[in-house]
Amino acid sequence: MDHRIKQPSRVSNSPLPLPDQVALVLQGGGALGSYQAGVYEALHDRAIKVDWVAGISIGAINAAIIAGNPPHDRIAKLHQFWQKMSGGLPNFWLPEEHNIREAVHLTAAMAVAAFGVPGFFRPHMLPAMLAPEGSMNAISYYDTTPLVDTLNDLVDWDLLNHGEVRFSVGAVHVTSGNFVYFDNHDPHWRGRIDARHIMASGALPPGLAPVEIDGEFYWDGGLVSNTPLSHVLDSLKGDLLLFQVDLFPAEGPMPRQLTDVWSRLKDIQYSSRTRQVTDQFLRRYREHDLIRKLLTKLPPELQDDPAVIALRGLNHSGAVNIVHLIYRSHAWEGGARDFEFSRATMLDHWAQGHEAVDGVMCEGDLIAQNIVNGQSATFDLDRPGHLKEKKA
C-alpha cells in the first residue's frame, strides 16, 4: 500500500494512537445490550474518544445515550438506563450451577414476556385478536409508550442532533421493505432525530408495533441488517479505528436439542454476517489499492481524463482498522437471552463487555502499529490472550 508512515493525527491520553476517526458500531440484541455499555465504559476509561456511534435496535438506544450526553455524563446515564431495565425482577445471588442458572434464566425471561420491562414496554391491555383491525394494538403484543419518557429523560436531543459526535441508526420502512438510516451528519437527510427514530430502529415485530415518523411506518432495522457496519464503511472519509460490537456470534456449536435450535437460529439470523462484511471490505480495499497504483502509472495526458478522475474518486485512501468484539453466551443462556432482563445477568453482560476491551488492549501493539503505519486490518479476540489479525 502506498501510504506514508505517519504520526497519529490526534493527541490522546489513550495507549493507542488514535486516527482521524474512532467509530463504535452496536448490533441489536435486546437484553444483551448491557455488554455494549460495558464496552463503552472500558473505552471511556482508556480515554478513547468516540467520534461516531451507530446502532440498530438496543444498539440504537445505547448509541443515543452516548451521543446525547457530554462525555462526563455518559457512563452514569448508561447505568441509569440499565438499572431501570433490570429493575422489574428480583435481584439475588445465584450459585454457578448450570441447571439452577438455566431455570432462573428461563423464569426471568417468561416474566418479561408476561409483564414487560419497566420504562421500556408493557403488554397491551386488550389482546391483539380483539383490537380494531389496523390499530397498533392489533399488530403487536406490547406497548412501547414508556420508552418515550425513558429516552427523553436520558438523552439531550439538541446535543445529539447538533453535537460533534456523528450518530446513525437504521430502521426498515414497513411497506417498501427498504432499509433507511437516520444520520445527524448526513447532508442528504435533513430531519431532526428524536425518540421516534430510536424506537423505530428497535420496533421488532410482532412484539413491538411499527413507529410512525412523518406519516411513514418503520420496524426494527435488524429485519434487514442487525449491524450498521456497512453504513459506516461506505460513508467514511480518512483513517478510521472501528469497534464493532456484536451480541450474536456467527459461529456456534451444532444444536443437541430444540432449545439449542432456537438459540442457534437467532445467532445466525441476527449476527448479520459481520465477518462477511469485513471480509468484503478488505477485499475491496485491496482492489482499490491496485487501482490507485495503476492510476499513478498512467501517462500525464490521461490523468485529467473524466473516466480516470471518476475512478480516482471512487477510492477511499484512508486506513481502516476494525476491532471485532463479540458477546460469548454462557451455557445456561438459550434462545431467550435477548429478553432476559434480570439484574444479575445485566451486570454479568456489562462486566464481559468491559473485560473484552481489556483483553484486546492487552494485545493492542498490533493495532497501534497498524494505525501508525497507515495499514488496514481486522482484529478478533478469538480466544483469551490471542488477537487474530487479518490484513488488507
Side-chain angles (χ1 to χ4, degrees):
M1 175 179 175
D2 185 19
H3 199 303
R4 293 176 301 171
I5 294 178
K6 62 177 184 178
Q7 292 302 311
S9 58
R10 190 171 58 172
V11 177
S12 170
N13 294 325
S14 163
L16 278 180
L18 300 182
D20 300 327
Q21 256 187 339
V22 175
L24 180 62
V25 175
L26 306 176
Q27 194 182 69
L32 302 173
S34 55
Y35 175 84
Q36 298 169 343
V39 167
Y40 178 76
E41 182 181 53
L43 296 177
H44 177 84
D45 290 347
R46 292 176 176 272
I48 297 178
K49 179 184 174 184
V50 174
D51 306 292
W52 187 350
V53 58
I56 301 290
S57 198
I58 196 66
I61 295 178
N62 284 327
I65 295 172
I66 293 168
N69 284 283
H72 60 273
D73 285 339
R74 293 170 182 168
I75 304 302
K77 294 291 187 179
L78 286 168
H79 273 291
Q80 188 177 338
F81 174 77
W82 285 103
Q83 292 283 346
K84 191 169 191 174
M85 294 301 100
S86 58
L89 296 170
N91 182 32
F92 46 85
W93 179 84
L94 291 172
E96 285 297 330
E97 205 283 321
H98 177 87
N99 291 333
I100 295 176
R101 293 301 297 264
E102 184 177 34
V104 173
H105 170 71
L106 290 174
T107 301
M110 287 189 290
V112 168
F115 303 110
V117 175
F120 195 167
F121 61 87
R122 60 194 174 207
H124 288 303
M125 296 297 292
L126 189 67
M129 66 182 65
L130 300 179
E133 184 176 341
S135 68
M136 293 297 102
N137 196 339
I139 57 174
S140 62
Y141 298 125
Y142 300 99
D143 173 17
T144 54
T145 302
L147 185 55
V148 177
D149 290 337
T150 298
L151 289 171
N152 286 339
D153 287 343
L154 294 175
V155 178
D156 180 339
W157 298 111
D158 286 334
L159 178 61
L160 185 147
N161 280 278
H162 305 296
E164 294 181 354
V165 177
R166 183 167 182 175
F167 173 81
S168 312
V169 294
V172 177
H173 188 265
V174 174
T175 56
S176 70
N178 292 332
F179 196 91
V180 298
Y181 279 102
F182 306 115
D183 189 320
N184 65 346
H185 284 199
D186 185 351
H188 303 294
W189 188 74
R190 300 293 183 181
R192 174 180 169 83
I193 295 171
D194 56 35
R196 296 171 302 164
H197 301 83
I198 314 307
M199 294 168 66
S201 182
L204 183 64
L208 308 184
V211 175
E212 181 182 0
I213 302 173
D214 301 330
E216 304 292 338
F217 290 88
Y218 299 90
W219 267 330
D220 192 308
L223 294 176
V224 173
S225 175
N226 200 34
T227 175
L229 178 59
S230 296
H231 176 67
V232 174
L233 293 177
D234 290 341
S235 307
L236 67 90
K237 296 179 180 178
D239 295 345
L240 176 73
L241 172 62
L242 188 151
F243 293 90
Q244 163 69 30
V245 188
D246 284 2
L247 301 178
F248 295 95
E251 299 176 353
M254 180 69 185
R256 298 172 61 87
Q257 54 187 355
L258 280 178
T259 54
D260 298 336
V261 173
W262 184 27
S263 177
R264 190 72 196 111
L265 177 65
K266 282 191 173 183
D267 286 345
I268 295 171
Q269 182 178 2
Y270 293 120
S271 64
S272 288
R273 300 179 180 178
T274 303
R275 293 183 192 277
Q276 181 181 8
V277 174
T278 55
D279 287 346
Q280 287 175 346
F281 172 77
L282 292 178
R283 184 169 62 251
R284 185 178 65 185
Y285 195 94
R286 288 190 291 268
E287 292 169 353
H288 285 191
D289 188 43
L290 291 173
I291 292 172
R292 283 192 296 270
K293 292 177 179 178
L294 178 61
L295 291 178
T296 61
K297 296 180 179 180
L298 293 177
E301 62 269 19
L302 291 180
Q303 293 295 333
D304 294 329
D305 185 277
V308 173
I309 294 173
L311 190 59
R312 190 180 295 122
L314 292 176
N315 286 293
H316 171 259
S317 58
V320 178
N321 285 278
I322 301 172
V323 179
H324 197 190
L325 303 169
I326 309 172
Y327 173 71
R328 309 291 183 182
S329 59
H330 296 286
W332 46 264
E333 290 183 292
R337 63 187 182 276
D338 54 331
F339 57 96
E340 198 269 85
F341 284 83
S342 70
R343 180 66 54 82
T345 303
M346 181 275 290
L347 293 173
D348 179 78
H349 294 160
W350 189 300
Q352 284 195 57
H354 201 293
E355 291 167 1
V357 175
D358 290 344
V360 167
M361 292 301 113
C362 287
E363 305 292 328
D365 288 348
L366 283 174
I367 304 172
Q369 191 61 46
N370 265 23
I371 293 172
V372 171
N373 292 346
Q375 297 175 335
S376 294
T378 62
F379 299 90
D380 182 1
L381 196 69
D382 60 344
R383 62 178 186 272
H386 182 260
L387 193 65
K388 182 174 65 177
E389 178 185 19
K390 184 180 291 186
K391 285 188 175 293

